[in-house]
Amino acid sequence: MSYVSETLEQLIAKNPGEAEFHQAAREVLESLEPVIDANPAYRKNAILERITEPDRQIMFRVPWIDDKGVAHVNRGFRVQFNNAIGPYKGGLRLHPSVTLGTIKFLGFEQIFKNSLTGLPIGGGKGGSDFDPKGKSDREVFEFCRSFMTELYKYIGADVDVPAGDIGTGAREIGFMYGTYKKITGLYEGVLTGKGLTYGGSLARTEATGYGLLYLTQAMLEAHGQSLKGKTAAISGAGNVAIYAAEKATALGAKVVTMSDSNGWIYDKDGIDLAAVKEIKEVKRARLTEYKNYRPKSEYSASGHVWQVKCDVALPCATQNELNLDDAKALVKNKCTAVAEGANMPTTAEATEYLIKNGILFAPGKAANAGGVATSALEMSQNSQRLNWTFEEVDTRLHGIMVNIYRQAAAAAEKYGHKDNLVVGANIAGFTKVADAMLAQGIQ
């Protein structure tokens, strides 16, 4: 049995019932076979066993009281996966679906995504099964204060720097930051995604969506194509999807779909992004209201956006949302490229099918790294007590995303997998972390 197979077998046995973590580990480790075979020191020093086992897994109780005076208890998590190249860095997800397995899958992916940015940040992730939707500001504050009252013990500007994620926006980050500052007496860059008045960075809100399109454009240009004149299908209607749609439009593409947890919209004339922003960011409503703005648009409560004919597909919602049937529909409709704006939104079977059929495919750990890259730029600004302009941050972000594409493409070609960015991103992200672990000894 190969070293990779042995490690995967042990990982599954030690982490039962964590299907998403198993899926992420399998996808990464199996693509590393060529580089593992070429470097015996990795096995000798148990690099795979060490990189798949978190440094620590923190789980805690989060009690809070609602507006009616009723007490509730949620679970909080922080998985600090690997800090070989820098302090742990990764978001805090607030959603009812959050489990320890979810956080481990996301934290594991974060190791390699953060490595690819070229910035000195390690991998971690956290969150809670709390749902901020439908809660008052006071209820969200009560939860965030209780959550941070425990989490603060394990984080710090040079230790672990959490960020926003699904369910954790500017409001939640503000409440958590205020609590951290109150408890510790420290005014430091311990969280990213902060408001601009207290250490946040311009372009952070747009970063993941913009970064996705910068990498997509780089990938297309490397194959003699461009986004200009292309039709794009996007899933999701949150922060990533909205700003992916904004940048795609700016680069000359026509975005025709978006979705939320209830259903999806199709607008053949191009999505009215101002309407989507008003619905989702101002009213915090559902996309069923979109027809009030664009009566000729279509709304569906079933199926997926990937059935629509498009040139570029950008899944920006959640994990495993694009399945094998969707991949077959994209191939049938002559889609050119798929780039992941969410974390692992394409199933393993769908990814394999797309690549086998010649679709240009950019995995999330490369394509959606713009958010964490700009978070790291926010950390730099905090450390220097500086505020960069939007243009300065955006220029740095563009350079980082183009470089991520080049790293992944070069690694793929070096190990005989030309144009396979899944393999290339995994190898490029892994080797930097693994070599740092070797240099630091068995820790």
Side-chain angles (χ1 to χ4, degrees):
M1 186 181 293
S2 71
Y3 178 34
V4 165
S5 298
E6 287 178 14
T7 304
L8 283 170
E9 190 175 278
Q10 293 168 13
L11 180 145
I12 291 167
K14 289 168 68 177
N15 302 275
E18 297 178 355
E20 291 165 332
F21 179 40
H22 302 166
Q23 180 184 343
R26 185 180 302 280
E27 185 263 304
V28 172
L29 265 59
E30 288 183 346
S31 66
L32 295 176
E33 292 272 16
V35 73
I36 295 296
D37 292 343
N39 294 274
Y42 291 155
R43 181 165 196 165
K44 182 180 178 182
N45 289 272
I47 291 292
L48 293 187
E49 293 93 332
R50 290 161 58 200
I51 209 167
T52 55
E53 185 68 36
D55 290 347
R56 60 195 59 82
Q57 304 175 56
I58 302 154
M59 185 166 68
F60 51 93
R61 181 180 68 236
V62 188
W64 59 280
I65 298 174
D66 68 20
D67 288 343
K68 297 178 181 178
V70 178
H72 300 265
V73 178
N74 287 96
R75 263 186 180 168
F77 304 93
R78 188 66 180 173
V79 174
Q80 296 173 332
F81 231 109
N82 189 290
N83 66 348
I85 63 172
Y88 307 104
K89 186 87 191 77
L92 296 169
R93 177 169 295 191
L94 302 182
H95 193 272
S97 66
V98 167
T99 64
L100 181 60
T102 310
I103 298 301
K104 284 166 73 173
F105 133 61
L106 293 166
F108 182 70
E109 289 276 292
Q110 202 78 43
I111 300 169
F112 310 104
K113 181 190 300 185
N114 292 359
S115 172
L116 284 168
T117 67
L119 301 167
I121 43 176
K125 202 75 177 184
S128 173
D129 55 4
F130 172 80
D131 188 357
K133 285 185 180 176
K135 305 289 193 303
S136 70
D137 286 349
R138 194 205 67 82
E139 288 172 325
V140 172
F141 174 72
E142 284 295 320
F143 167 83
C144 290
R145 181 167 62 177
S146 181
F147 182 80
M148 186 53 76
T149 299
E150 182 65 22
L151 183 65
Y152 89 94
K153 303 170 187 176
Y154 311 103
I155 63 177
D158 296 309
V159 179
D160 183 350
V161 184
D165 196 84
I166 293 172
T168 307
R171 174 182 60 171
E172 290 76 16
I173 290 292
F175 291 157
M176 290 182 193
Y177 188 75
T179 303
Y180 179 88
K181 184 163 62 75
K182 180 75 171 177
I183 294 171
T184 65
L186 297 172
Y187 202 106
E188 62 178 15
V190 69
L191 290 166
T192 55
K194 299 185 294 299
L196 295 176
T197 55
Y198 62 101
S201 174
L202 289 165
R204 176 60 190 90
T205 303
E206 297 86 352
T208 307
Y210 279 22
L212 171 65
L213 271 298
Y214 291 148
L215 188 138
T216 303
Q217 180 80 312
M219 178 172 69
L220 289 170
E221 287 178 349
H223 292 83
Q225 302 180 51
S226 169
L227 277 163
K228 192 170 184 179
K230 295 278 197 300
T231 298
I234 292 179
S235 65
N239 187 65
V240 179
I242 285 173
Y243 290 101
E246 183 172 281
K247 183 55 68 173
T249 304
L251 292 172
K254 180 171 73 171
V255 178
V256 295
T257 70
M258 293 185 81
S259 67
D260 60 21
S261 55
N262 285 21
W264 55 282
I265 53 174
Y266 170 65
D267 191 334
K268 65 181 177 60
D269 297 321
I271 293 292
D272 182 342
L273 200 54
V276 173
K277 285 184 178 182
E278 184 171 329
I279 293 166
K280 304 305 292 187
E281 296 183 338
V282 179
K283 295 182 176 179
R284 296 180 183 263
R286 316 306 294 173
L287 284 178
T288 48
E289 293 195 11
Y290 185 78
K291 285 186 72 69
N292 297 335
Y293 297 82
R294 299 289 283 263
K296 292 183 180 179
S297 67
E298 299 174 28
Y299 178 85
S300 177
S302 61
H304 298 149
V305 303
W306 318 120
Q307 308 302 313
V308 171
K309 186 175 177 58
C310 65
D311 302 304
V312 177
L314 303 170
C316 297
T318 190
Q319 60 263 22
N320 293 323
E321 59 165 296
L322 195 163
N323 60 34
L324 182 57
D325 288 340
D326 298 324
K328 289 179 178 177
L330 290 171
V331 171
K332 182 180 177 182
N333 287 328
K334 300 187 181 340
C335 177
T336 301
V338 176
E340 297 185 321
N343 292 300
M344 203 170 71
T346 313
T347 66
E349 297 81 8
T351 300
E352 183 180 359
Y353 186 85
L354 291 168
I355 292 172
K356 277 187 176 178
N357 282 273
I359 304 290
L360 299 175
F361 185 88
K365 64 174 61 65
N368 76 10
V372 74
T374 306
S375 283
L377 296 178
E378 181 177 328
M379 291 167 65
S380 296
Q381 292 170 77
N382 292 165
S383 296
Q384 296 175 291
R385 301 292 192 266
L386 294 175
N387 291 109
W388 299 338
T389 65
F390 186 100
E391 291 73 22
E392 193 172 356
V393 177
D394 192 39
T395 298
R396 289 173 186 258
L397 170 64
H398 183 270
I400 288 169
M401 298 310 297
V402 171
N403 189 53
I404 287 174
Y405 170 74
R406 290 173 179 166
Q407 284 183 75
E413 186 163 6
K414 178 180 178 180
Y415 287 95
H417 292 273
K418 191 176 188 315
D419 292 334
N420 188 328
L421 294 187
V422 174
V423 171
N426 287 337
I427 290 175
F430 169 81
T431 51
K432 180 180 177 182
V433 177
D435 290 348
M437 292 170 71
L438 285 177
Q440 294 168 30
I442 305 294
Q443 304 285 353

